[in-house]
Amino acid sequence: MIDEKGQIAVDFLLGISLFLIALIFIVQFIPSLFLSGSAGESSLDYTAYRTAAILAEDTGWWGNSTSSGTAWEAHPDNVMRIGLAVDHEPESKLTNTPNLLSKDKIERFMMLNESDIIEKLGLYNNVDGAHFSYGYNISILQISQNNTPLILNNTPITLGEATPHDRETSKITRIVLVETGTIAYFDAEELPIDPNPPVKKSKTILNVTGPLSDDVKLYIDNFDITGTDPSFNKLVLDGTNLSENIDYTTYKIVNGTVLPLNSTGNFDNNSTVVFSLKSGLFNNFHTYQLEIEFKDVQFTNTASPFMDYTQELEVLCEPAYLTVEVWN
Amino acid sequence: MRQLFKNEEGVSTIVEYMLFTLICIGFFSIISINAEDIFINDPNDVVMKDEMTDIGNMMSTMITDMYLIVPPNGNIDTEYRTPVRAGREEYTIDADIAYEDQIIEVISQSSGKKVRVTIGGIATTMPINGTVSSSSTNHMISYDSRR
Amino acid sequence: MNDKAQLHTLEGLAAAVLMTMTVLMITNSTMMVTPQNEMAIDVQLKQMASDALTVIDIVPKSSAQSNNAPILHNLTACVASWDVTEEATYPVNTLDNLEDGLSYLLPNVLYNVDLAYVENGNITQKKVIIKGSPGKSAVVARHFVTLTNQTVSDMNGTWNLDDDELRVVEVRLTAWKV
Amino acid sequence: MESLRKDTKGQWIALSGLVLSLIIIGLAALANQAAMAGYHSSNAALEFPKENIRELNLHTRDNAKIIKDLSFEINKTSNESIPDIYTQLFKNYSSQIEKLHAIHGETVDVSLVSINSTNGTYGINDIDIIFVNITYNDGRTHYESKPEVIEVGA
């Protein structure tokens, strides 16, 4: 091999064998790309879909050897299925109000242990009889608060782990109405003038019968405004002045928009004034008297029987997003 | 003969041919031994797993959706279509184990491959049963409150 | 040794590495960008659209006035308030109270709303919210409301129903993503 | 052209081009099949008319109550009996809902079975349960609720 011509072909040989090796590698490698990608992924999309459907549209079910019903939140030991929809007829299996979530059920749902949730919602993969649970995150997000978790009883409603950023997840979002508490609506024209001295036309009184488990949410609208500075002065409960931001918070709603209102801010006759009082103030079996004093506002009703907060109670529902996110 | 050994012209061409043939034989033998696996079985496994998971999911999703609207007195039935083959094999959808394990199973008879899909907890309140083979023509899920 | 053209070999090597990396990168990045397949996105959108109508339909009157959302009326009241003579022409919508609620519940989604009802035995279809022409992947959700003269006059609508008449109106929401 | 035909160099390149293209076709077919998966499950979720059936059902339930209230209103100024007015209004409702479903190619039948009152009279507080038959058919899904029991009591 003294003649060094023609060796150029060896380069070509080396090249083509490298190419062939790379080709074999790629052909073997590509199927495994698909395997890791789509199969597991599309399966999880529907796991999330089913879970969200069951949570938002079903009432859940409990049962033991003698009886059964949809009020599983009252029978946590015999839960057969978890569903959050409100049900007014506990004996029938279906709800007439899908997408309306019950506060009691959500609170009970938060207390269930992890293995129950995974088991009951089917958030696992069954490989030859062995269960491998998926990672999951189920949250109820407030649309009005930039999609932060809804807070019920001082607990943010979010279950499971935080969403991992380093892998693919399957997420489904449902729009729901959540019962967040109770409210009472009062028309300022119907509220009586406080007859206790010193009598002021701008002062009204309301009975609140304790004990209460939910915060008091008081909505007053249709004000009769008499001056240039209609505002709210103070709240007095059984003779004690309440302090703002500690015992209560207040705001106003104008055309569906929530605006801040403190004890010096103004409102007008289009505003609904809202007081939110801590339930802890009403712990005893006792009828509390709540005096509400305004400025440049007059109450006209002199008829005496005080209105009772607890008799005007209605459920307050907030629209929210229910998100279910599942990953491997 | 001596002449032949002395003449070194064309050697590289011969060596080139030899090397070339060797490499080609090597390559094609690897390919032909593994061809079945590489080009047919592996992709088929992937596609089968995908399709079977998909079909299991379809069943599970339909049953869940249907459960959410079943009439208290009455019936509901829905037809659905499934492909005759997943990959290259026929398969059976089996919902009979749903009661105890909340699972729908899609099994291929010929290779025994199976995929299991969970259903979200409705089997405990509503018995789900039935098996169907992909090769049968009419597929239907039905519910009747009176049965 | 002929050490010419070594660059060709290196070039081949580099090309192979480059190709493999590109394939890897593309497959990885597309999976990151589209974690859900296209059909699953349709399912999500359809679910959202029908949820939005359901939520507006079932919101109780007291909550509509007092919660933090711009949903001031339920679906029946929204439709009742519509001025029958005013059909929407892009970009003017004629059912603002429904539009407020929908845009709050469905951010980043475009939609049209049509009303369909039976009048003197014939189907009438009217557009009330137009946000554009629906794309290929548009989904449709629909709900029905029943109007009586009472519900209409409560909302100052102009449906002109008789006192003994009831009218079923189909609210059709066509939603799509851009 | 002639020079191209006579030039027999580069056969290897031509051959490898052929092989490569065959391989790429195979992979494309595989990728296509993989992309097809996910079609059935989403198809089921998109095509199963869950929301339509539920809306028909819930709206009929709501309507049974609206019609009850309206019949009492009408009864104040008319000498027809409440059950008669109710039946007429319900017929009117079902013809409207049937027409509205027909535009979407769905066959719907909503018909009143009976108006029930526990004490036999038909005053505002007496009518408590309405029986209605609801059927829905979109060609693939067939739904029948016979009867749907609707409580309309106060």
Side-chain angles (χ1 to χ4, degrees), chain A residues 2 9 12-13 20 27 31 38-39 43 46 49-50 54 57-58 61 80-81 93-94 120 122 124 126 129, chain B residues 8 16 19-20 27 38 46 50 53 57 60-61 64-65 67-68 70 101 103 116-118 120-122 124-125:
Chain A
I2 300 149
F12 173 70
L13 272 177
L20 290 179
V27 167
S38 51
S43 130
Y46 290 92
Y49 173 87
R50 286 193 297 271
I54 284 282
E57 299 168 27
D58 187 61
W61 193 252
M80 298 175 89
R81 191 173 68 245
K93 285 186 183 176
L94 296 181
K120 300 283 189 291
Y124 57 84
N126 183 312
Chain B
E8 291 179 335
E16 185 190 324
L19 282 174
F20 219 92
F27 177 71
I38 295 173
V46 176
D50 255 29
T53 315
N57 264 315
S60 173
T61 308
T64 310
D65 273 356
Y67 171 77
L68 290 168
V70 289
D101 221 1
I103 270 179
R116 304 177 131 195
V117 178
T118 54
I122 58 174
T124 48
T125 37

Side-chain angles (χ1 to χ4, degrees), chain D residues 33-113:
Chain D
Q33 258 179 308
M36 277 296 286
Y39 171 77
H40 285 282
S41 40
S42 43
N43 203 35
L46 277 174
E47 285 195 2
F48 185 67
K50 175 177 73 167
E51 300 292 343
N52 294 352
I53 294 176
R54 174 150 55 205
E55 176 58 16
L56 174 67
N57 190 309
L58 292 182
H59 186 249
T60 305
R61 298 185 82 92
D62 284 350
N63 239 63
K65 295 185 189 105
I66 295 175
I67 292 177
K68 181 190 164 196
D69 295 341
L70 192 60
S71 4
F72 281 103
E73 278 306 309
I74 297 172
N75 180 253
K76 286 179 190 162
T77 54
S78 140
N79 34 16
E80 280 179 275
S81 72
I82 287 170
D84 283 351
I85 302 171
Y86 197 102
T87 314
Q88 270 175 29
L89 283 173
F90 204 93
K91 224 173 235 164
N92 185 304
Y93 162 68
S94 38
S95 83
Q96 291 191 39
I97 200 93
E98 280 158 27
K99 274 188 182 134
L100 287 170
H101 275 89
I103 352 173
H104 303 285
E106 294 155 344
T107 320
V108 159
D109 182 48
V110 183
S111 57
L112 183 67
V113 179

